[in-house]
């Protein structure tokens, strides 16, 4: 509740300090004294736009501070407004105007002409309706919250799979193709170099054959081999005369063996060149296949093979994920079905509560001066969300002869205040711990004004209620009454 409020240079009020206390707090005074300025101070604390005409003549700025008490803590909120800007504080620390509104959400609501209160918003209307449901309705609301949480959890697991089942299947098909294309090519590390060398040899086979034939002729049996053999025979004969030549003869023998191996290898290479001429075509096709794979999967054959290994691993992962996805899809469908079933049950409880509250609200409105009002909760089905599968709109008409519509469009300031008062009394519950009414008594008097005072008193039994009024019939019910008195160009606030 609001425990203390101080204002400085607010309109006609140079300074004022209030400690309103619990229950019904009434602010009264003659027309033109500035009594509604105190509600303007509360609006500033709720983060609403600051108006420059609120700055009084007693200085260059307006300062509003308040202490709010909840069940768990004490908060000090402040707002300072000058001709250039406004600033806000929460517990002495700088804050934004929006954060002030967040702090007072659920603590204080200001209702007056031109206000778009929470009853104009379907979400807020739904929450107010939920707060007024009976025990069975509250149980349905709890069951829905649990069902929705379970549905969200399964949905998160499904999202963690990286997409829906069809997307996973498409990816699996792709990586399987990639894996198989690379595996079916049959390449191994180093094949690109081997094929390149083989292709170069086959492309130049005729020239190589000619040159190898020349080599074989020069180094063969009728060339270097024959000459070396004669030289070795002469060295061995000489070593029998001079044993020191034995090592040289042995070295010649080694040369002969090496030359023999050389000639054998030249013969093998030469024989390879005589293979099937279609081999070059086959090698060229293999090289073209490597080029195609490199274009798709990597800059060289090693990168292509690594890509194939990665594709194989991803295929294994996706197969496992799809096995899980099948289970999760079933769980998701079951969770969705549960959400829709509980949402339908909750809708029934909301409609029952809406019918009861609407009827009671109409009764209160008749006491407050409406002859034949209409109050309707339009509950329509929508996509399920955290708070259910319903959209709730409050429609109102001050008289049955008029077409009911959303209260933000059809209710005047005075009607709006009385409608909210009636709804709060009918619901017997509210998310807001405190409410301030402005112009609630517009167009009323006599017996209706007395009824309004009694209803404000009833509403204030379990919350703090502020009311600005000029009617003594309303002011008489106050737990804490204040009067605003004007003297020339200034006004003072006094507790009675």
């Amino acid at each position: 509740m609001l425990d203390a409020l101080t204002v400085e240079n607010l309109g006609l009020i140079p300074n004022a300090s209030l400690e309103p206390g619990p229950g019904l707090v009434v602010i009264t005074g003659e027309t033109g004294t500035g009594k509604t300025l105190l509600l303007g101070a509360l609006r500033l604390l709720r983060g609403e736009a600051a108006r420059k005409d609120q700055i009084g003549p007693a200085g260059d700025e307006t300062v509003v501070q308040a202490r709010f008490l909840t069940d768990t803590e004490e908060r000090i909120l402040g707002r300072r407004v000058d001709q250039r800007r406004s600033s806000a504080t929460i517990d002495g620390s700088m804050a934004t105007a929006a954060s002030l509104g967040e702090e007072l959400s659920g603590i204080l609501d200001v209702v007056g002409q031109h206000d778009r209160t929470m009853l104009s918003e379907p979400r807020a209307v739904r929450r107010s309706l939920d707060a007024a449901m009976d025990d069975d309705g509250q149980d349905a609301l709890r069951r829905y919250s649990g069902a929705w949480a379970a549905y969200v959890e399964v949905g998160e697991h499904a999202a963690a799979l990286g997409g829906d089942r069809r997307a996973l299947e498409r990816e699996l098909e792709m990586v399987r193709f990639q894996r198989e294309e690379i595996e079916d090519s049959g390449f191994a590390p180093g094949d690109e170099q081997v094929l390149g060398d083989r292709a170069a040899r086959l492309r130049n086979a005729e020239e190589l054959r000619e040159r190898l034939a020349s080599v074989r002729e020069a180094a063969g049996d009728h060339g270097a081999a024959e000459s070396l053999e004669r030289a070795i025979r002469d060295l061995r004969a000489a070593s029998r005369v001079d044993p020191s030549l034995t090592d040289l003869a042995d070295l010649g023998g080694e040369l002969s063996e090496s030359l023999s191996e050389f000639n054998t290898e030249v013969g093998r290479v030469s024989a390879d060149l005589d293979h099937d001429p279609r081999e070059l075509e086959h090698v060229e096709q293999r090289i073209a296949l490597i080029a195609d794979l490199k274009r798709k999967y990597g800059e060289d054959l090693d990168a292509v093979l690594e890509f194939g290994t990665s594709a194989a691993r991803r295929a294994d992962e996706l197969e496992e994920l799809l096995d899980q996805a099948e289970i999760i899809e079933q769980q998701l469908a079951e969770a969705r079905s549960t959400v829709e079933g509980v949402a339908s049950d909750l809708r029934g409880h909301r409609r029952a509560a809406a019918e009861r509250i609407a009827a009671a609200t109409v009764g209160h409105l008749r006491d407050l001066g409406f002859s034949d009002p209409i109050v309707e909760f339009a509950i329509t089905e929508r996509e399920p969300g955290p708070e259910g599968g319903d959209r709730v709109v409050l429609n109102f008409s001050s008289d049955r002869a008029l077409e009911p519509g959303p209260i933000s469009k059809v209710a005047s300031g005075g009607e709006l205040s009385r409608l909210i008062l009636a709804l709060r009394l009918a619901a017997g519950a509210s998310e807001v711990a405190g409410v301030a009414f402005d112009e609630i008594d517009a167009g009323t008097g006599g017996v209706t004004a007395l009824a309004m005072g009694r209803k404000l008193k009833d509403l204030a039994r379990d919350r703090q209620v502020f009311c600005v009024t000029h009617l003594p019939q309303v002011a008489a019910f106050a737990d804490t009454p204040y009067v605003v008195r004007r003297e020339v160009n200034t006004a003072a606030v006094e507790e009675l």
Side-chain angles (χ1 to χ4, degrees), residues 119-260:
L119 292 183
S120 301
E121 300 296 331
R123 182 179 182 183
V125 175
R126 184 177 61 241
R127 287 183 173 179
S128 297
L129 187 61
D130 287 349
M133 289 191 300
D134 59 18
D135 291 343
D136 290 340
Q138 298 300 327
D139 178 65
L141 187 60
R142 285 189 293 271
R143 285 189 289 110
Y144 182 85
S145 296
W148 178 257
Y151 176 64
V152 169
E153 183 178 2
V154 176
E156 289 173 348
H157 290 163
L161 295 177
D164 60 25
R165 184 177 182 83
R166 287 187 295 274
L168 293 174
E169 288 173 342
R170 288 193 296 270
E171 185 184 358
L172 177 59
E173 184 178 356
M174 180 184 67
V175 296
R176 278 176 173 169
F177 172 82
Q178 293 168 338
R179 178 193 65 190
E180 291 168 2
E181 183 178 33
I182 295 172
E183 288 179 351
D184 291 348
S185 71
F187 289 116
D191 281 358
E192 186 172 12
Q193 182 66 44
V194 171
L195 286 169
D197 294 344
R198 183 65 176 161
R201 182 181 301 170
L202 292 172
R203 291 186 192 113
N204 299 280
E206 188 62 31
E207 180 184 353
L208 288 172
R209 273 194 294 269
E210 292 177 359
R211 293 189 179 280
L212 288 174
S214 176
V215 170
R216 292 174 69 185
E217 182 179 354
D221 294 340
H222 301 293
E226 183 180 359
S227 299
L228 181 59
E229 186 63 30
R230 286 198 305 269
I232 293 171
R233 285 198 303 268
D234 290 341
L235 277 172
R236 293 199 185 283
S239 67
R240 288 193 290 271
V241 178
D242 184 357
S244 66
L245 296 176
T246 301
D247 290 343
L248 189 58
D250 291 341
L251 181 59
E254 293 175 3
L255 284 173
S256 178
E257 290 177 2
S258 296
L259 182 58
S260 177

Side-chain angles (χ1 to χ4, degrees), residues 359-373 418 421-422 425 444-455 458:
T361 300
V362 167
H364 288 299
L365 288 174
R366 285 177 176 149
D367 293 339
L368 294 172
F370 292 90
S371 58
D372 196 10
R418 282 179 282 172
L421 173 59
L425 290 168
T444 62
V447 174
T448 300
L450 283 171
M452 184 177 297
R454 291 191 186 95
K455 291 183 183 298
D458 289 341

Side-chain angles (χ1 to χ4, degrees), residues 371-384:
S371 58
D372 196 10
I374 297 176
V375 176
E376 297 175 343
F377 289 89
I379 301 176
T380 55
E381 187 173 347
R382 54 167 293 175
E383 179 67 17

Side-chain angles (χ1 to χ4, degrees), residues 302-376:
D302 287 343
V304 169
L305 296 175
E306 177 57 33
F307 189 97
T309 302
S310 298
R313 285 197 299 265
R314 180 59 179 163
D316 292 340
E317 292 172 359
L318 288 171
E319 288 169 355
E320 183 178 352
L321 286 174
L322 282 168
D323 290 340
Q324 297 178 21
E326 186 173 355
I327 297 173
I328 289 178
E329 280 183 358
Q330 182 178 355
Q331 292 175 341
L332 193 61
E334 292 173 353
R336 172 75 182 201
S337 177
T338 301
V339 164
E340 291 174 349
V342 181
S344 178
D345 185 37
L346 178 58
R347 187 174 304 117
H349 288 288
R350 282 173 171 163
R351 285 175 174 162
E355 185 176 349
R356 171 176 53 82
I357 294 169
T361 300
V362 167
H364 288 299
L365 288 174
R366 285 177 176 149
D367 293 339
L368 294 172
F370 292 90
S371 58
D372 196 10
I374 297 176
V375 176
E376 297 175 343

Side-chain angles (χ1 to χ4, degrees), residues 86-90 93-100:
S86 74
S87 60
T89 59
I90 298 176
S93 300
M94 289 187 296
T96 64
S99 62
L100 289 181

